[in-house]
Amino acid sequence: MRIKDKCKIRQVAGESVLMIVGRNPGDMTKVMAFNETSLYLWDQLQGRDFEIADVVTLLLQRFDIDETTALNDATSWVQTLKDHSIVS
Amino acid sequence: MHLKIADHIISVEGDNELRLLTSCRAFDPFVVSDVEEEWSVRFGCTHATFPSQAEILYDVEIEDTGNYCRFLYYDGRYGMEIYNRSNGHRQVSLSYLPGGRLVEASSCEDFSSLRFALWFAVCMLAVPSMVTFVHSSVVVYHGNAVLFLGESGTGKSTHSRLWLKNIDDVHLLNDDCPAIAFDAHTSRPVVYGSPWSGKTQCYRQERYDIAAIVRLSQSQTNAIRRLSVSQSIVALQPSLPPALFLSSYFDNYLYQILSDIISKVPLYHLQCLPDDDAAILCFNTIFPRQ
């Protein structure tokens, strides 16, 4: 999978957010606020193809956690991106 | 004709178009003379037909007109056309090269299309200078403005009228499309009247500090709450020019504007009935008694 080129993290009033703007009037604008961990994963993975295993590796490199926790966190992070069509 | 909008000077050219525009009083308070323009909108200087491979960024109906607005990107330029979907007739088209100070336009004989096209042209010229229109109704109390946001039909104008009725020393600045810019010295956002005020004839060449921005939604009860940063983004973003968010050139400026407004002005959500209590609750929250 790959983060879509059009998805950009922006700094708005001190927060890192990803905005998904609707193309039609009445479409809801979605805003996802990124914490430090999400931002780290995003920076590392943007612009390249990756799998859940890559996310696990990044989490293990950065945090003192076991592999099961890393896999659970990676799976849920990727699922959130998929739910909002941020990866293709 | 030179217009002064949000402290910027725009030259509008085109004989027939000027006759049409000056036939209504909306532009009178904004006409200035003996000044040098920063930006120009030139009607009748191009036929601006867009190549078939142009990328269509946005294509929506303009409220209550039966006309559609299509925003495109082609050959490094942005284009906009207003057309009638039932007969395919094109009312007007605009063309803008990013970074430029000129919007080229075709001639236009339809008044409502012309008004909209001029608004859109000023949007494209102004946003890179950190000036934008905000779809809102604005009241002013003791020199401080409050903007009411909401989709069409939510009751922005009604809520403004409830302030006028219930609170002393309040006046209406604009009922549809005021401009927001930033003070050159303090960097604080300020709001200006404009020639675009929806169905209400309220065209004021005035400028005020902004006390608060309030998104309205209809409800069976009245309640107000202050919004977090994320909630403020969701509240304010849809009220900035929607087409320009779909351009990779203009959106960077719009996000900066969004960020600078939210950093400096409190945003609220008011769920409300169209009644006096709603206006009084909102007023007392924004301007608590000392």
Side-chain angles (χ1 to χ4, degrees):
Chain A
M1 74 196 100
R2 194 181 175 96
I3 292 168
K4 289 181 184 170
D5 286 344
K6 283 193 170 176
C7 295
K8 280 190 216 164
I9 305 261
R10 299 174 187 275
Q11 298 298 315
V12 177
E15 293 201 4
S16 303
V17 296
L18 173 72
M19 303 209 25
I20 302 159
V21 175
R23 291 186 78 85
N24 298 300
D27 285 354
M28 282 289 287
T29 296
K30 291 186 207 159
V31 176
M32 296 175 71
F34 275 57
N35 63 16
E36 207 177 311
T37 307
S38 266
L39 212 50
Y40 160 69
L41 293 176
W42 185 278
D43 288 343
Q44 297 294 320
L45 297 169
Q46 200 181 26
R48 67 178 174 101
D49 293 320
F50 66 95
E51 300 302 330
I52 287 184
D54 301 306
V55 184
V56 172
T57 307
L58 285 167
L59 289 173
L60 288 172
Q61 280 170 2
R62 178 78 176 246
F63 301 100
D64 186 18
I65 50 172
D66 60 60
E67 259 185 66
T68 312
T69 309
L71 180 60
N72 287 339
D73 288 355
T75 307
S76 111
W77 190 75
V78 166
Q79 191 57 47
T80 305
L81 298 191
K82 283 183 176 169
D83 289 347
H84 294 92
S85 306
I86 293 162
V87 289
S88 55
Chain B
M1 174 171 76
H2 286 75
L3 297 174
K4 183 178 178 184
I5 295 170
D7 282 334
H8 291 271
I9 308 295
I10 303 137
S11 154
V12 183
E13 298 162 40
D15 292 345
N16 292 330
E17 288 76 11
L18 287 179
R19 259 196 295 279
L20 269 177
L21 289 171
T22 51
S23 69
C24 87
R25 299 209 315 274
F27 292 89
D28 291 353
F30 301 90
V31 173
V32 287
S33 53
D34 296 330
V35 284
E36 201 167 317
E37 72 266 15
E38 299 169 66
W39 305 323
S40 297
V41 183
R42 203 169 289 157
F43 287 96
C45 75
T46 174
H47 293 293
T49 47
F50 304 118
S52 57
Q53 69 272 22
E55 182 187 358
I56 297 170
L57 302 171
Y58 188 77
D59 193 358
V60 299
E61 187 175 4
I62 305 167
E63 258 172 57
D64 304 331
T65 63
N67 286 325
Y68 279 71
C69 162
R70 184 183 277 162
F71 182 49
L72 319 95
Y73 183 67
Y74 69 101
D75 300 341
R77 300 180 74 95
Y78 287 97
M80 191 281 276
E81 59 184 357
I82 299 174
Y83 66 99
N84 185 299
R85 190 167 268 189
S86 52
N87 63 18
H89 178 67
R90 198 176 58 179
Q91 310 281 17
V92 64
S93 60
L94 307 177
S95 175
Y96 174 69
L97 183 67
R101 294 173 174 276
L102 167 70
V103 172
E104 295 169 74
S106 65
S107 53
C108 181
E109 293 169 0
D110 173 65
F111 179 71
S112 78
S113 298
L114 177 61
R115 247 168 85 103
F116 184 88
L118 183 56
W119 174 83
F120 200 98
V122 176
C123 279
M124 290 197 289
L125 292 163
V127 163
S129 292
M130 299 291 284
V131 179
T132 186
F133 292 107
V134 182
H135 183 211
S136 59
S137 179
V138 191
V139 292
V140 179
Y141 170 74
H142 287 186
N144 290 290
V146 179
L147 282 75
F148 302 120
L149 316 177
E151 303 312 310
S152 293
T154 306
K156 299 183 292 292
S157 300
T158 303
H159 193 76
S160 282
R161 272 182 215 107
L162 289 166
W163 275 56
L164 298 176
K165 176 186 162 201
N166 287 284
I167 301 150
D168 291 337
D169 303 325
V170 170
H171 76 266
L172 189 69
L173 175 64
N174 185 282
D175 210 19
D176 189 58
C177 224
I180 285 187
F182 298 89
D183 184 273
H185 301 292
T186 65
S187 305
R188 285 191 61 81
V190 287
V191 62
Y192 295 80
S194 87
W196 296 274
S197 188
K199 294 184 182 109
T200 309
Q201 295 184 11
C202 181
Y203 312 110
R204 289 174 179 266
Q205 177 61 285
E206 296 172 7
R207 154 200 153 128
Y208 297 97
D209 290 335
I210 302 173
I213 299 175
V214 183
R215 177 155 282 267
L216 306 181
S217 62
Q218 295 177 354
S219 173
Q220 297 304 312
T221 52
N222 293 320
I224 190 165
R225 66 192 167 95
R226 176 93 185 253
L227 298 178
S228 69
V229 168
S230 296
Q231 290 166 338
S232 297
I233 297 168
V234 176
L236 181 55
Q237 184 273 336
S239 302
L240 303 184
L244 300 192
F245 271 101
L246 300 167
S247 138
S248 57
Y249 172 71
F250 292 107
D251 72 346
N252 290 318
Y253 297 106
L254 284 171
Y255 283 111
Q256 190 61 53
I257 291 171
L258 195 62
S259 179
D260 289 354
I261 295 172
I262 292 170
S263 302
K264 287 172 179 134
V265 170
L267 273 93
Y268 296 88
H269 177 240
L270 174 69
Q271 53 179 88
C272 59
L273 289 157
D275 66 7
D276 297 345
D277 287 347
I280 292 163
L281 170 68
C282 190
F283 171 75
N284 286 336
T285 305
I286 296 166
F287 300 106
R289 288 195 187 90
Q290 300 300 315

